[in-house]
Amino acid sequence: LGRDEQIIFVDIMSRKIFERARERGVVDFPQEYIIIDEAAIFLQDAELNTIFWLHLFFVFSCSMLIEFVRKIKLESEESTGKDTYSWYFGFNRSLLVYALLVVVSYSLFMLTAYYLDLLNWVVILIAALLTIQLLLTIYRHYLMPTKKGEGLLILSTLLAYIGLHLSIYFTISGGA
């Protein structure tokens, strides 16, 4: 078969397998497996693959931000288990590493938005404002390390996380 015929054949067979699986309903273990030799032939859009990986890394970086910020503690709040980034890196260095993670996350967001063709002034403004407020909160916590500042940093991180994801969602769905 030629390449186009191979693609059509795999598409038709995949649909048949899917329909059989749907008719069977939920099962305890897999009933059929699909092994496709030279699977790259059947990837329809390489750009979609790029978008998928960029978005995956963006989500991962946002999750890392939440994980990291939870473990930046004041010296007086450190546990005896030595299980925080502030214990491992020191308070100031942990804030620096966190700020670098914020920049990486922002960059991945902008690349994802670019590949999704979502870069308009609203998305850029929202992303810039959320990132700037987060960096300013980090700087404030560096200058005045308090328990309240720690909570503000966590809240700021969650706000940026939610805001960046919602800006993608509403732009894709036509809300922005």
XYZ file of all heavy atoms in Angstrom, residues 36-127:
767
model
N 1.536 -0.303 15.789
C 1.685 0.322 14.478
C 3.167 0.486 14.192
O 3.873 1.211 14.895
C 0.979 1.686 14.415
C -0.504 1.533 14.731
C 1.174 2.327 13.040
C -1.253 2.839 14.805
N 3.639 -0.191 13.159
C 5.024 -0.050 12.748
C 5.165 1.280 12.009
O 4.288 1.658 11.246
C 5.401 -1.218 11.834
C 6.886 -1.266 11.545
O 7.664 -0.745 12.364
O 7.268 -1.833 10.512
N 6.249 1.976 12.260
C 6.507 3.281 11.653
C 5.357 4.250 11.954
O 4.780 4.871 11.059
C 6.726 3.156 10.152
C 7.918 2.283 9.782
C 8.150 2.205 8.294
O 8.074 3.264 7.639
O 8.397 1.099 7.817
N 5.062 4.390 13.229
C 3.930 5.211 13.674
C 4.042 6.666 13.237
O 3.033 7.347 13.106
C 3.792 5.122 15.192
N 5.257 7.154 13.002
C 5.432 8.552 12.599
C 4.670 8.871 11.314
O 4.252 10.002 11.091
C 6.909 8.871 12.427
N 4.466 7.869 10.480
C 3.717 8.075 9.236
C 2.298 8.546 9.542
O 1.710 9.320 8.803
C 3.659 6.760 8.413
C 5.051 6.387 7.920
C 2.684 6.869 7.255
C 5.116 5.006 7.282
N 1.757 8.075 10.661
C 0.352 8.305 10.960
C 0.107 9.544 11.809
O -1.027 9.833 12.145
C -0.236 7.058 11.617
C 0.015 5.840 10.787
C 1.022 4.954 11.132
C -0.703 5.612 9.631
C 1.278 3.849 10.346
C -0.450 4.513 8.837
C 0.542 3.628 9.192
N 1.164 10.250 12.165
C 0.986 11.511 12.883
C 0.598 12.562 11.861
O 1.361 12.874 10.950
C 2.268 11.911 13.617
C 2.688 10.979 14.749
C 4.018 11.430 15.322
C 1.632 10.957 15.834
N -0.583 13.093 12.009
C -1.114 14.008 11.020
C -0.470 15.384 11.058
O -0.313 16.015 10.049
C -2.634 14.155 11.213
C -3.376 12.886 10.951
C -3.308 12.465 9.494
O -3.352 13.305 8.608
N -3.176 11.188 9.246
N -0.115 15.865 12.248
C 0.334 17.239 12.358
C 1.482 17.337 13.357
O 1.282 17.217 14.558
C -0.836 18.118 12.811
C -0.558 19.598 12.677
O 0.595 19.971 12.398
O -1.503 20.375 12.861
N 2.690 17.557 12.862
C 3.853 17.650 13.747
C 3.724 18.847 14.680
O 4.185 18.810 15.811
C 5.133 17.753 12.923
N 3.069 19.927 14.225
C 2.899 21.104 15.077
C 2.019 20.785 16.277
O 2.264 21.248 17.373
C 2.305 22.266 14.288
C 2.301 23.552 15.085
C 1.890 24.749 14.257
O 2.438 24.928 13.169
O 1.021 25.498 14.721
N 1.012 19.942 16.084
C 0.164 19.530 17.192
C 1.003 18.808 18.247
O 0.817 19.014 19.439
C -0.965 18.631 16.694
C -1.949 18.139 17.744
C -2.658 19.319 18.398
C -2.955 17.199 17.131
N 1.946 17.997 17.787
C 2.839 17.298 18.702
C 3.683 18.302 19.494
O 3.860 18.150 20.697
C 3.737 16.353 17.895
C 4.300 15.242 18.734
O 3.785 14.936 19.796
N 5.365 14.650 18.252
N 4.170 19.344 18.835
C 4.943 20.392 19.501
C 4.086 21.098 20.550
O 4.530 21.325 21.670
C 5.457 21.420 18.472
O 6.263 20.751 17.513
C 6.260 22.516 19.132
N 2.860 21.430 20.176
C 1.941 22.095 21.108
C 1.685 21.199 22.316
O 1.690 21.658 23.454
C 0.618 22.472 20.406
C 0.876 23.574 19.370
C -0.432 22.909 21.420
C -0.291 23.829 18.452
N 1.467 19.926 22.061
C 1.213 18.986 23.151
C 2.378 18.993 24.145
O 2.165 19.119 25.349
C 1.004 17.569 22.594
C 1.000 16.509 23.666
C -0.119 16.316 24.450
C 2.128 15.732 23.886
C -0.127 15.349 25.442
C 2.131 14.773 24.878
C 1.009 14.568 25.653
N 3.604 18.856 23.654
C 4.766 18.801 24.550
C 4.999 20.124 25.256
O 5.321 20.153 26.450
C 6.010 18.348 23.798
C 5.950 16.880 23.514
C 5.743 16.287 22.313
C 6.045 15.813 24.473
N 5.711 14.921 22.459
C 5.899 14.603 23.770
C 6.229 15.770 25.851
C 5.951 13.368 24.407
C 6.276 14.535 26.475
C 6.141 13.359 25.760
N 4.835 21.231 24.534
C 5.000 22.533 25.183
C 3.979 22.720 26.302
O 4.325 23.162 27.393
C 4.847 23.662 24.161
C 6.079 24.066 23.395
C 5.719 25.093 22.323
C 7.141 24.608 24.320
N 2.743 22.387 26.019
C 1.711 22.537 27.039
C 1.980 21.593 28.213
O 1.805 21.979 29.369
C 0.320 22.285 26.457
C -0.766 22.585 27.435
N -1.443 21.599 28.107
C -1.261 23.762 27.888
C -2.315 22.147 28.922
N -2.228 23.458 28.820
N 2.421 20.378 27.924
C 2.750 19.440 28.995
C 3.861 20.004 29.887
O 3.753 19.975 31.115
C 3.172 18.092 28.413
C 3.507 17.012 29.424
C 2.248 16.571 30.165
C 4.164 15.841 28.731
N 4.916 20.548 29.270
C 6.007 21.133 30.055
C 5.544 22.382 30.807
O 5.993 22.635 31.924
C 7.218 21.459 29.174
C 7.954 20.228 28.717
C 8.332 20.102 27.390
C 8.263 19.201 29.592
C 9.013 18.974 26.953
C 8.944 18.070 29.166
C 9.313 17.953 27.844
N 4.655 23.153 30.204
C 4.102 24.324 30.889
C 3.327 23.897 32.129
O 3.521 24.441 33.220
C 3.213 25.127 29.935
C 2.347 26.143 30.626
C 2.911 27.190 31.330
C 0.973 26.036 30.588
C 2.116 28.121 31.988
C 0.166 26.957 31.228
C 0.740 27.994 31.932
N 2.459 22.910 31.985
C 1.686 22.418 33.130
C 2.631 21.850 34.192
O 2.448 22.093 35.391
C 0.642 21.366 32.683
C 0.007 20.665 33.871
C -0.421 22.022 31.804
N 3.636 21.110 33.749
C 4.613 20.555 34.695
C 5.342 21.675 35.435
O 5.522 21.603 36.653
C 5.616 19.664 33.953
C 6.681 19.106 34.841
C 6.393 18.099 35.756
C 7.968 19.593 34.767
C 7.379 17.592 36.580
C 8.962 19.086 35.593
C 8.674 18.083 36.501
N 5.747 22.721 34.702
C 6.462 23.826 35.356
C 5.551 24.546 36.356
O 6.004 24.943 37.435
C 7.032 24.806 34.329
O 6.021 25.570 33.712
N 4.272 24.696 36.025
C 3.329 25.318 36.967
C 3.157 24.446 38.208
O 3.099 24.954 39.331
C 1.978 25.542 36.293
S 1.969 26.904 35.124
N 3.082 23.150 38.003
C 2.983 22.238 39.147
C 4.240 22.308 40.007
O 4.169 22.253 41.235
C 2.760 20.808 38.661
O 1.567 20.727 37.932
N 5.393 22.442 39.365
C 6.650 22.582 40.102
C 6.652 23.878 40.916
O 7.179 23.913 42.033
C 7.853 22.560 39.158
C 8.218 21.185 38.669
S 8.629 20.028 39.984
C 9.950 20.866 40.808
N 6.079 24.933 40.364
C 5.993 26.188 41.110
C 5.216 25.998 42.409
O 5.639 26.460 43.471
C 5.314 27.278 40.271
C 6.103 27.888 39.138
C 5.237 28.879 38.368
C 7.353 28.553 39.637
N 4.084 25.311 42.311
C 3.267 25.090 43.498
C 4.013 24.213 44.500
O 4.039 24.496 45.697
C 1.901 24.480 43.114
C 1.093 25.521 42.326
C 1.131 24.015 44.342
C -0.150 25.002 41.678
N 4.636 23.161 44.008
C 5.401 22.285 44.893
C 6.553 23.044 45.548
O 6.793 22.920 46.744
C 5.941 21.087 44.091
C 6.979 20.251 44.791
C 6.492 19.605 46.086
O 5.268 19.492 46.303
O 7.347 19.220 46.899
N 7.265 23.830 44.759
C 8.441 24.539 45.264
C 8.049 25.586 46.306
O 8.670 25.685 47.362
C 9.197 25.188 44.105
C 10.638 25.453 44.405
C 11.599 24.503 44.110
C 11.047 26.640 44.979
C 12.937 24.734 44.385
C 12.371 26.892 45.272
C 13.331 25.928 44.966
N 7.012 26.366 46.017
C 6.643 27.460 46.920
C 6.149 26.931 48.263
O 6.340 27.567 49.291
C 5.606 28.411 46.274
C 4.209 27.813 46.258
C 5.601 29.755 46.984
N 5.541 25.750 48.255
C 5.082 25.157 49.516
C 6.246 24.849 50.459
O 6.064 24.777 51.666
C 4.358 23.823 49.259
C 3.014 23.905 48.703
C 2.317 22.543 48.547
N 3.168 21.363 48.361
C 3.474 20.493 49.333
N 3.055 20.662 50.551
N 4.219 19.441 49.073
N 7.427 24.652 49.878
C 8.575 24.236 50.676
C 9.639 25.318 50.803
O 10.820 25.028 50.957
C 9.157 22.956 50.105
C 8.189 21.790 50.238
C 8.807 20.505 49.821
C 7.824 19.360 50.049
N 8.410 18.085 49.684
N 9.214 26.563 50.691
C 10.092 27.688 51.039
C 9.601 28.190 52.391
O 8.528 28.759 52.499
C 10.036 28.813 49.989
C 10.514 28.321 48.635
C 10.881 30.005 50.450
C 10.384 29.338 47.516
N 10.379 27.939 53.402
C 9.975 28.266 54.771
C 10.950 29.258 55.388
O 12.130 29.293 55.053
C 9.945 27.001 55.640
C 9.006 25.931 55.147
C 7.592 26.345 55.348
C 6.639 25.260 54.894
N 5.294 25.705 54.798
N 10.430 30.042 56.318
C 11.285 30.902 57.143
C 12.130 30.002 58.034
O 11.750 28.874 58.354
C 10.430 31.832 57.988
C 9.488 32.760 57.234
C 8.563 33.452 58.212
C 10.277 33.765 56.429
N 13.267 30.504 58.444
C 14.149 29.689 59.278
C 13.430 29.223 60.548
O 13.595 28.089 60.987
C 15.414 30.479 59.633
C 16.484 29.631 60.262
C 17.788 30.390 60.455
O 18.045 31.360 59.727
O 18.535 29.979 61.364
N 12.615 30.096 61.108
C 11.892 29.746 62.338
C 10.809 28.692 62.096
O 10.351 28.042 63.026
C 11.269 30.993 62.953
O 10.323 31.556 62.052
N 10.402 28.508 60.844
C 9.339 27.565 60.504
C 9.878 26.235 59.971
O 9.096 25.338 59.666
C 8.420 28.178 59.441
C 7.722 29.446 59.861
C 6.620 29.179 60.871
O 5.928 28.151 60.767
O 6.465 30.004 61.784
N 11.189 26.117 59.820
C 11.784 24.887 59.291
C 11.472 23.707 60.201
O 11.487 23.826 61.413
C 13.311 25.027 59.168
C 13.773 25.892 58.025
C 13.584 25.256 56.655
O 13.275 24.053 56.549
O 13.725 25.987 55.671
N 11.196 22.584 59.590
C 10.934 21.383 60.372
C 12.247 20.667 60.671
O 13.276 20.951 60.055
C 9.993 20.443 59.600
O 10.655 19.942 58.454
N 12.200 19.738 61.576
C 13.418 18.991 61.917
C 13.751 17.966 60.844
O 14.859 17.448 60.821
C 13.245 18.266 63.274
O 12.096 17.419 63.190
C 13.085 19.267 64.400
N 12.811 17.697 59.940
C 13.031 16.707 58.889
C 13.915 17.181 57.753
O 14.302 16.396 56.894
N 14.232 18.446 57.722
C 15.084 19.022 56.665
C 14.539 18.660 55.275
O 15.272 18.226 54.399
C 16.522 18.546 56.812
C 17.140 18.922 58.144
C 18.551 18.385 58.262
C 19.120 18.761 59.621
N 20.438 18.213 59.832
N 13.249 18.870 55.102
C 12.585 18.481 53.867
C 12.074 19.669 53.058
O 11.115 19.550 52.309
C 11.436 17.518 54.172
C 10.414 18.121 55.133
O 10.687 19.194 55.693
O 9.351 17.506 55.310
N 12.716 20.826 53.215
C 12.288 22.012 52.464
C 13.401 22.473 51.538
O 14.569 22.173 51.748
C 11.917 23.165 53.416
O 13.086 23.541 54.147
C 10.804 22.767 54.371
N 12.994 23.209 50.513
C 13.985 23.775 49.604
C 14.766 24.885 50.288
O 15.942 25.095 49.983
C 13.313 24.284 48.326
C 12.672 23.166 47.544
C 11.291 23.050 47.444
C 13.453 22.202 46.928
C 10.708 22.011 46.748
C 12.880 21.161 46.224
C 11.514 21.067 46.141
O 10.944 20.027 45.461
N 14.125 25.589 51.188
C 14.832 26.656 51.900
C 15.905 26.065 52.819
O 16.944 26.688 53.032
C 13.865 27.529 52.680
O 12.979 26.763 53.434
N 15.694 24.883 53.333
C 16.758 24.248 54.127
C 17.894 23.816 53.215
O 19.058 24.025 53.492
C 16.233 23.025 54.895
C 17.349 22.354 55.646
C 17.798 22.668 56.884
C 18.184 21.313 55.168
N 18.866 21.872 57.217
C 19.129 21.023 56.171
C 18.232 20.577 53.979
C 20.103 20.049 56.052
C 19.205 19.607 53.849
C 20.122 19.343 54.871
N 17.520 23.234 52.067
C 18.513 22.693 51.147
C 19.325 23.798 50.462
O 20.545 23.734 50.395
C 17.829 21.812 50.106
C 18.797 21.094 49.196
C 19.513 19.998 49.648
C 18.982 21.510 47.886
C 20.402 19.335 48.823
C 19.865 20.862 47.054
C 20.574 19.778 47.526
O 21.457 19.136 46.700
N 18.651 24.815 49.928
C 19.316 25.892 49.195
C 19.637 27.104 50.066
O 20.432 27.944 49.680
C 18.451 26.391 48.027
C 18.230 25.397 46.935
C 16.957 24.926 46.666
C 19.284 24.934 46.166
C 16.735 24.013 45.649
C 19.070 24.018 45.149
C 17.795 23.548 44.887
N 18.956 27.240 51.178
C 18.980 28.475 51.946
C 17.797 29.318 51.500
O 17.313 29.183 50.371
N 17.318 30.189 52.380
C 16.113 30.963 52.090
C 16.270 31.835 50.842
O 15.444 31.785 49.931
C 15.747 31.830 53.311
C 14.499 32.629 53.108
C 13.265 32.032 53.199
C 14.564 33.992 52.825
C 12.095 32.760 53.009
C 13.409 34.723 52.634
C 12.181 34.102 52.732
N 17.350 32.623 50.785
C 17.526 33.542 49.660
C 17.716 32.801 48.338
O 17.136 33.174 47.318
C 18.697 34.484 49.912
C 18.403 35.473 51.012
O 17.255 35.698 51.378
N 19.445 36.066 51.573
N 18.531 31.754 48.349
C 18.742 30.997 47.110
C 17.477 30.267 46.677
O 17.228 30.123 45.477
C 19.898 30.008 47.280
C 21.224 30.654 47.015
C 22.316 29.625 46.813
N 23.429 30.041 47.649
C 23.950 29.342 48.623
N 23.528 28.137 48.881
N 24.942 29.809 49.334
N 16.694 29.796 47.624
C 15.444 29.119 47.245
C 14.491 30.104 46.567
O 13.798 29.741 45.617
C 14.786 28.438 48.443
O 14.358 29.373 49.396
N 14.464 31.360 47.024
C 13.645 32.377 46.341
C 14.177 32.662 44.945
O 13.401 32.869 44.001
C 13.594 33.664 47.166
C 12.724 33.630 48.424
C 12.843 34.949 49.186
C 11.271 33.325 48.088
N 15.497 32.657 44.781
C 16.100 32.869 43.455
C 15.750 31.722 42.514
O 15.347 31.948 41.365
C 17.615 33.027 43.580
C 18.377 33.194 42.270
C 17.938 34.464 41.548
C 19.866 33.206 42.525
N 15.895 30.493 42.982
C 15.533 29.332 42.163
C 14.057 29.400 41.802
O 13.664 29.138 40.654
C 15.874 28.014 42.901
C 15.281 26.809 42.171
C 17.370 27.865 43.072
N 13.235 29.779 42.761
C 11.802 29.901 42.514
C 11.517 30.966 41.446
O 10.712 30.750 40.538
C 11.069 30.226 43.819
C 9.596 30.343 43.634
C 8.832 29.229 43.326
C 8.960 31.574 43.729
C 7.474 29.329 43.127
C 7.604 31.681 43.542
C 6.868 30.550 43.241
O 5.523 30.654 43.028
N 12.198 32.103 41.533
C 12.023 33.164 40.535
C 12.436 32.668 39.151
O 11.773 32.988 38.147
C 12.824 34.403 40.936
N 13.493 31.882 39.068
C 13.912 31.315 37.778
C 12.853 30.356 37.246
O 12.571 30.345 36.043
C 15.257 30.618 37.914
C 16.453 31.530 38.177
C 17.707 30.708 38.467
C 16.687 32.476 37.013
N 12.251 29.563 38.134
C 11.162 28.682 37.715
C 9.961 29.477 37.198
O 9.291 29.058 36.258
C 10.729 27.778 38.872
C 11.671 26.647 39.252
C 11.182 25.952 40.527
C 11.808 25.646 38.125
N 9.703 30.630 37.804
C 8.614 31.501 37.333
C 8.910 31.971 35.907
O 8.029 31.942 35.038
C 8.421 32.713 38.272
C 7.507 33.761 37.653
C 7.875 32.266 39.622
N 10.141 32.370 35.640
C 10.524 32.836 34.299
C 10.411 31.689 33.290
O 9.917 31.883 32.167
C 11.943 33.442 34.322
C 12.442 33.732 32.919
C 11.964 34.708 35.180
N 10.832 30.492 33.669
C 10.715 29.333 32.779
C 9.241 29.050 32.485
O 8.852 28.836 31.333
C 11.403 28.091 33.397
C 11.020 26.810 32.667
C 12.918 28.271 33.407
N 8.415 29.080 33.515
C 6.990 28.829 33.344
C 6.347 29.875 32.433
O 5.563 29.540 31.536
C 6.302 28.821 34.710
O 4.969 28.448 34.589
N 6.686 31.140 32.648
C 6.179 32.223 31.802
C 6.612 32.011 30.344
O 5.808 32.159 29.421
C 6.683 33.564 32.320
C 6.386 34.730 31.415
C 5.112 35.281 31.367
C 7.373 35.273 30.598
C 4.830 36.352 30.529
C 7.092 36.339 29.759
C 5.828 36.869 29.727
O 5.554 37.912 28.890
N 7.864 31.635 30.143
C 8.380 31.404 28.783
C 7.647 30.255 28.110
O 7.285 30.348 26.929
C 9.883 31.106 28.827
O 10.576 32.177 29.395
N 7.419 29.177 28.853
C 6.679 28.045 28.289
C 5.237 28.434 27.975
O 4.672 27.998 26.968
C 6.716 26.852 29.247
C 8.066 26.143 29.343
C 8.068 25.164 30.509
C 8.400 25.434 28.041
N 4.645 29.263 28.817
C 3.294 29.752 28.546
C 3.275 30.546 27.236
O 2.403 30.329 26.387
C 2.783 30.630 29.685
C 1.497 31.327 29.334
C 0.289 30.660 29.441
C 1.507 32.632 28.877
C -0.897 31.286 29.097
C 0.323 33.260 28.524
C -0.881 32.586 28.638
N 4.224 31.464 27.085
C 4.249 32.298 25.884
C 4.488 31.459 24.631
O 3.868 31.703 23.586
C 5.312 33.395 26.022
C 4.995 34.412 27.107
S 3.387 35.219 26.917
C 3.782 36.403 25.653
N 5.365 30.451 24.714
C 5.596 29.560 23.567
C 4.342 28.754 23.242
O 3.985 28.602 22.072
C 6.759 28.615 23.858
C 8.150 29.168 23.626
C 9.202 28.210 24.176
C 8.391 29.421 22.149
N 3.680 28.255 24.259
C 2.440 27.505 24.041
C 1.389 28.397 23.388
O 0.742 28.002 22.414
C 1.907 26.939 25.374
O 2.904 26.109 25.967
C 0.640 26.132 25.160
N 1.228 29.599 23.905
C 0.260 30.541 23.335
C 0.625 30.887 21.896
O -0.251 31.001 21.036
C 0.187 31.802 24.192
N 1.914 31.037 21.634
C 2.372 31.342 20.267
C 2.003 30.207 19.312
O 1.435 30.442 18.246
C 3.880 31.584 20.269
C 4.465 31.701 18.884
C 4.319 32.869 18.152
C 5.134 30.635 18.309
C 4.837 32.982 16.871
C 5.658 30.731 17.027
C 5.507 31.896 16.305
O 6.010 31.993 15.039
N 2.313 28.964 19.688
C 2.012 27.829 18.821
C 0.520 27.585 18.670
O 0.072 27.049 17.664
C 2.716 26.560 19.310
C 4.129 26.462 18.809
C 5.198 26.825 19.612
C 4.403 26.012 17.518
C 6.496 26.753 19.146
C 5.696 25.932 17.047
C 6.742 26.300 17.874
O 8.018 26.234 17.406
N -0.258 27.962 19.682
C -1.708 27.850 19.578
C -2.320 29.041 18.854
O -3.531 29.113 18.693
C -2.338 27.730 20.979
C -2.152 26.408 21.692
C -2.625 26.503 23.136
C -2.885 25.295 20.960
N -1.463 29.975 18.455
C -1.890 31.197 17.773
C -2.852 32.004 18.649
O -3.879 32.493 18.201
C -2.533 30.862 16.425
C -2.538 32.058 15.489
O -1.659 32.940 15.640
O -3.416 32.126 14.607
N -2.483 32.127 19.941
C -3.314 32.836 20.908
C -2.690 34.136 21.390
O -3.214 34.745 22.321
C -3.578 31.952 22.131
C -4.287 30.644 21.886
C -4.400 29.859 23.186
C -5.650 30.866 21.283
N -1.579 34.512 20.808
C -0.907 35.719 21.298
C -1.629 36.956 20.803
O -1.439 37.420 19.694
C 0.563 35.744 20.859
C 1.504 34.882 21.666
C 2.929 35.021 21.153
C 1.452 35.216 23.137
N -2.504 37.452 21.642
C -3.127 38.734 21.373
C -2.836 39.633 22.569
O -2.261 39.195 23.566
C -4.635 38.578 21.107
C -5.369 37.938 22.271
O -5.160 38.307 23.426
N -6.220 36.979 21.973
N -3.249 40.859 22.515
C -2.864 41.799 23.572
C -3.448 41.415 24.930
O -2.838 41.648 25.965
C -3.233 43.229 23.185
C -4.707 43.499 23.160
C -5.562 43.338 22.117
C -5.494 43.954 24.259
N -6.829 43.657 22.483
C -6.832 44.056 23.804
C -5.217 44.288 25.578
C -7.868 44.468 24.609
C -6.264 44.710 26.392
C -7.565 44.793 25.900
N -4.626 40.793 24.939
C -5.247 40.397 26.203
C -4.421 39.307 26.883
O -4.112 39.394 28.075
C -6.706 39.918 25.982
C -7.310 39.382 27.261
C -7.555 41.029 25.406
N -4.056 38.276 26.127
C -3.270 37.169 26.682
C -1.899 37.662 27.146
O -1.439 37.314 28.239
C -3.128 36.031 25.645
C -2.144 34.975 26.114
C -4.489 35.403 25.364
N -1.259 38.484 26.333
C 0.058 39.013 26.701
C -0.043 39.864 27.958
O 0.778 39.754 28.868
C 0.669 39.809 25.528
C 1.003 38.859 24.378
C 1.914 40.570 25.976
C 1.395 39.543 23.092
N -1.067 40.701 28.040
C -1.257 41.558 29.212
C -1.526 40.730 30.471
O -0.915 40.958 31.522
C -2.408 42.542 28.968
C -2.702 43.519 30.103
C -1.518 44.454 30.313
C -3.966 44.313 29.804
N -2.416 39.753 30.373
C -2.725 38.901 31.526
C -1.473 38.161 31.987
O -1.150 38.139 33.182
C -3.858 37.907 31.189
C -5.190 38.644 31.058
C -3.957 36.803 32.237
C -6.317 37.811 30.505
N -0.764 37.565 31.045
C 0.452 36.810 31.398
C 1.501 37.716 32.024
O 2.130 37.355 33.031
C 1.013 36.123 30.157
